[in-house]
Amino acid sequence: MAEWVTGKVIQVENWTESLFSIRVHAPTDSFTAGQYGKLALEINGEKVQRAYSYVNAPSDPTLEFYLVTVPEGKLSPHLHALRPGSEIMLVKEAAGFFVLEEVPDCDTLWMLATGTGIGPYLSILQEGKDLERFKNIVLVHAARFSRDLSYLPLMQQLQQRYHDKLRIQTVVSREEEVGSLTGRIPALIGNGALEAAVGLPIDAETSHVMLCGNPQMVRDTQQLLKEERKMTKHLRRRSGHITAENYW
């Protein structure tokens, strides 16, 4: 049975009309970068809960979550309406296996995300532990419009921190923007555009691919990598090349 604690909202940052970040102080247990927690509010006498990945590094005491408001959603509009000082319930213990210790050694670690799926990668990179195993790290964030790339400034700061080890690439699907690729991640892998932009290959010999975000992107990318690159899903009992987490 999950143990719940009460936290206090420190900040709600509105990135767009639907994308926002919420920062919270709460007496939760420590977590591993890449894991998720659960947030809950009591609404009309019912505790409504959803899982959200931590964006902050585990060493940062301010918990941060990146969310999208679903207009008809049971919880997200209420979270969006919170203000500093509001109380919120959080599950005390984090969960999830989308963490570096589950990823095998490789030359190039690809971190591919759509939308709010960028969160776990930001937690991992801000924490900075266990990254020496990889020669190269590529962080890719895909969104519909450039205004939806909320954490691009942080991505750029992380790139400066890691120098040549970290390469970042943004992707937008519904407009053309200087510095971003246009299209969907699976198509940009299929036609070679993503690898050309980054300057590194995605293959079974050198790469491990982490996928987080829209389930359709995750499915399509996994299928392409399996069929065209002969890459396999990574399992504890059998080492592979793909680690994935759906984001709803």
Side-chain angles (χ1 to χ4, degrees):
M1 193 74 170
E3 181 180 353
W4 291 86
V5 297
T6 300
K8 182 168 289 189
V9 175
I10 303 303
Q11 182 184 23
V12 178
E13 182 156 358
N14 294 299
W15 301 103
T16 68
E17 64 279 358
S18 60
L19 290 166
F20 67 103
S21 296
I22 184 169
R23 298 181 178 94
V24 181
H25 283 168
T28 54
D29 292 342
S30 60
F31 67 95
T32 301
Q35 289 190 304
Y36 62 87
K38 289 183 179 179
L39 304 181
L41 293 173
E42 188 161 315
I43 301 168
N44 298 325
E46 175 190 1
K47 184 165 72 175
V48 182
Q49 59 179 282
R50 295 288 184 272
Y52 299 102
S53 291
Y54 292 98
V55 175
N56 60 292
S59 55
D60 185 345
T62 300
L63 308 179
E64 183 172 355
F65 304 91
Y66 183 38
L67 296 79
V68 60
T69 302
V70 179
E72 66 278 12
K74 292 183 68 175
L75 182 60
S76 60
H78 297 276
L79 293 174
H80 200 176
L82 294 175
R83 294 293 178 263
S86 298
E87 289 191 344
I88 184 172
M89 289 177 281
L90 299 88
V91 75
K92 189 173 184 181
E93 185 176 0
F97 298 99
F98 198 69
V99 296
L100 282 188
E101 65 186 56
E102 298 290 334
V103 174
D105 294 348
C106 63
D107 285 344
T108 303
L109 178 62
W110 291 80
M111 298 176 162
L112 309 183
T114 57
T116 56
I118 191 71
Y121 302 134
L122 297 175
S123 180
I124 290 168
L125 290 169
Q126 288 183 99
E127 187 69 358
K129 293 181 178 178
D130 200 27
L131 295 174
E132 64 280 351
R133 298 191 285 126
F134 312 107
K135 181 180 178 182
N136 307 297
I137 302 170
V138 182
L139 177 61
V140 178
H141 189 199
R144 293 178 301 170
F145 300 100
S146 58
R147 64 176 178 270
D148 299 328
L149 300 168
S150 311
Y151 284 92
L152 181 56
L154 176 57
M155 292 168 63
Q156 292 168 335
Q157 290 173 20
L158 289 166
Q159 187 178 36
Q160 292 179 348
R161 170 178 165 183
Y162 289 104
H163 306 292
D164 295 337
K165 186 183 186 77
L166 175 63
R167 307 183 192 195
I168 63 173
Q169 180 61 54
T170 54
V171 176
V172 292
S173 60
R174 299 191 183 180
E175 66 179 359
E176 294 188 4
E177 178 70 20
V178 175
S180 292
L181 296 174
T182 304
R184 295 182 65 244
I185 286 176
L188 294 169
I189 295 174
N191 64 21
L194 179 58
E195 291 154 285
V198 172
L200 291 167
I202 301 177
D203 58 45
E205 287 72 39
T206 66
S207 309
H208 191 92
V209 179
M210 299 179 76
L211 300 168
C212 188
N214 184 309
Q216 190 66 53
M217 181 279 289
V218 172
R219 285 193 297 269
D220 291 349
T221 305
Q222 284 190 109
Q223 183 176 356
L224 182 145
L225 294 175
K226 289 176 181 178
E227 293 177 356
E228 299 189 9
R229 307 300 173 91
K230 308 306 179 189
M231 301 174 83
T232 59
K233 188 172 183 179
H234 179 66
L235 303 171
R236 282 183 167 179
R237 65 180 183 273
R238 186 183 71 244
S239 184
H241 317 96
I242 306 166
T243 300
E245 181 146 286
N246 289 330
Y247 241 53
W248 62 74

